Amino acid sequence: MSGKYDVVVIGAGPGGYVAAIKAAKLGLKTAIIEERRAGGTCLNRGCIPAKAMIHASSLYREMQEAERFGISASDVTYDYGKIIAYKEETTDKLVQGVEQLLKANGVDVYDGKGTLLEEKKVRIRKEQEDVVLEGENIILASGSKPLILPIPGMDSERVLTSDALFAMKEAPKSLIIIGGGVISVEFATVYANLGCKITILEAKLVPNMDKEISQNLKMILKKRGIDIHTSAAVQGVTTEDGTCTCHYIEKDQEQEVTADYVLCAVGRCPNTDGLFGENVKPDMERGRVLVNANFESSIPGVYAIGDLIFGVQLAHAASAQGIVVAEKLAGKEPSIDLSIVPGCVYTDPEIASAGMTEDQAKENGIAVKCGKFIMSANGKSIITQEERGFIKVVADEATGKVLGAQMMCARATDMIGEFVTAITNGLTVEQMLKGMRSHPTYNEGIGEALEELEGGAVHVVPRKKK
Ligand code: FAD
């Protein structure tokens, strides 16, 4: 069996399926190959299940704290099995949506493992027979898989990856998390909300964010009872009697901590298992496919996007790259500016960032002015009794153009979109202030931070003394 296509995509994650749908919409005959389930890591083992777990566990915590709004909710309990069922139902709905979209747009979907062969052919390994497709162009979008620290004891069944933790039928009573990135703090939020004892070992929290955010997050997580050791260097894990012990060095002292399970959340590595046939390999570095500005690899007509290449490892970045490649293959100009990628963390309060931080602007020799609004003076935040939070805007001193924003407050992950639109379109502070913001909203905080840049905030509610 064989087939000829304008575009053959390997991997139906947010990079691959979006590229395939866009290519088909632009009139290109397109096929996509997926060895597991459409939606990739994001829908099945990443963004969506993590946010469903955060939503359910936050609701549980909020109900326990409802007394502060005059509501008594005694004997609030949770059924972990039902939380998992809700998470899976949410994921299934979205996966079905992607499958329908592929079908509705006329993309041919092939189940199985895709392997790139010579002359832009792709073999799909099936149980009974091999299928070979020929593509005028190939897009590699095989994504990533969890990275395991190369230290003793990590092969224990009590050491989990994010994939394994999602699959557990019971919530752990105690969990050690190695790593301090987004995945680490989001899982810490989920299981701390559910009453699990959490210890985070190694590395700064959310290292890619503004340092003030990292410091504030550490304080908030500690307040929630999470034990954080940012300067610990993990040496190994031992397992005994249904528990595991993490051995680490902190301030030159050997230390250890014991829990039900260890979650290894130290990052992800590209997934190239079986992706390349004999004598076919594009130029690569540290396992990632190297691409030029058009996402084309060293093999002409073979492109790579998403977690498989260097750059930001986020679902919306993979999708945006997929759209840009599809547009290029259809002879169109790119419709998306790939230089501004919003970064979000779904902790409570949420964290979001886009463009430059004040420090990055300084490092690049750009003179900037910054406006900052503390959200404890925002009406909506007072109504909902939010934790500490702020919105900070970085603007070019000479032109007034908005260069970046960092936020730590309720709905930050939704509100960052306003800044992405402003930065990619080169809007100034003055232009961003032209539109009214509804009252009372968290969004008013953006107006206040911008006003601060224009010479002083106009507060809707009296500002608390700092
Ligand atoms: P993937 O989503 O990994 O998809 C690749 C697909 O290719 C998979 O379905 C795989 O089965 C398939 N495949 C691989 N090899 C082959 C082959 N040879 N043949 C056929 N099929 C193949 N990002 C965000 O933007 N926001 C978030 O909130 C967020 N939260 C996350 C939470 C967790 C716990 C994790 C692990 C990740 C999270 N991410 C988040 C990151 C996000 O999931 C990834 O950046 C994104 O999924 C990358 O998309 P991709 O298409 O490059 O690869």
Side-chain angles (χ1 to χ4, degrees), residues 9-17 33-51 110-116 123-124 140-146 162-163 166 182-183 186-187 268 271-276 305-309 312-319 321 342 344-346:
V9 183
I10 303 182
Y17 82 74
I33 306 157
E34 172 56 55
E35 64 175 331
R36 294 174 84 175
R37 230 168 51 134
T41 304
C42 174
L43 263 54
N44 297 291
R45 303 169 292 282
C47 330
I48 300 297
K51 274 62 201 183
Y110 292 83
D111 298 334
K113 184 178 263 304
T115 300
L116 181 67
R123 183 187 62 220
I124 306 160
L140 306 176
S142 57
S144 62
K145 56 186 182 181
S162 54
D163 292 1
F166 276 135
V182 177
I183 293 175
E186 289 191 356
F187 274 113
R268 296 179 61 83
N271 181 10
T272 52
D273 303 342
L275 184 60
F276 302 114
I305 56 173
D307 282 10
L308 184 60
I309 62 171
V312 186
Q313 312 283 293
L314 289 170
H316 45 273
S319 298
Q321 291 164 5
C344 298
V345 191
Y346 294 75

Side-chain angles (χ1 to χ4, degrees), residues 140-212:
L140 306 176
S142 57
S144 62
K145 56 186 182 181
L147 185 71
I148 307 291
L149 264 185
I151 54 169
M154 297 304 276
D155 53 353
S156 159
E157 60 183 22
R158 297 224 150 238
V159 176
L160 308 172
T161 61
S162 54
D163 292 1
L165 186 50
F166 276 135
M168 275 181 62
K169 300 281 178 250
E170 275 180 32
K173 295 209 168 30
S174 53
L175 181 68
I176 300 162
I177 304 180
I178 307 177
V182 177
I183 293 175
S184 158
V185 295
E186 289 191 356
F187 274 113
T189 301
V190 169
Y191 290 102
N193 283 344
L194 296 178
C196 169
K197 173 77 194 121
I198 306 283
T199 307
I200 298 180
L201 293 182
E202 226 181 75
K204 201 177 146 197
L205 296 187
V206 289
N208 298 331
M209 294 281 172
D210 187 281
K211 61 175 181 292
E212 196 176 345

Side-chain angles (χ1 to χ4, degrees), residues 4-57:
K4 277 194 171 177
Y5 289 90
D6 295 321
V7 184
V8 175
V9 183
I10 303 182
Y17 82 74
V18 171
I21 290 170
K22 189 71 184 177
K25 274 187 190 296
L26 292 172
L28 301 172
K29 190 174 181 231
T30 307
I32 193 163
I33 306 157
E34 172 56 55
E35 64 175 331
R36 294 174 84 175
R37 230 168 51 134
T41 304
C42 174
L43 263 54
N44 297 291
R45 303 169 292 282
C47 330
I48 300 297
K51 274 62 201 183
M53 300 286 285
I54 287 174
H55 178 70
S57 67

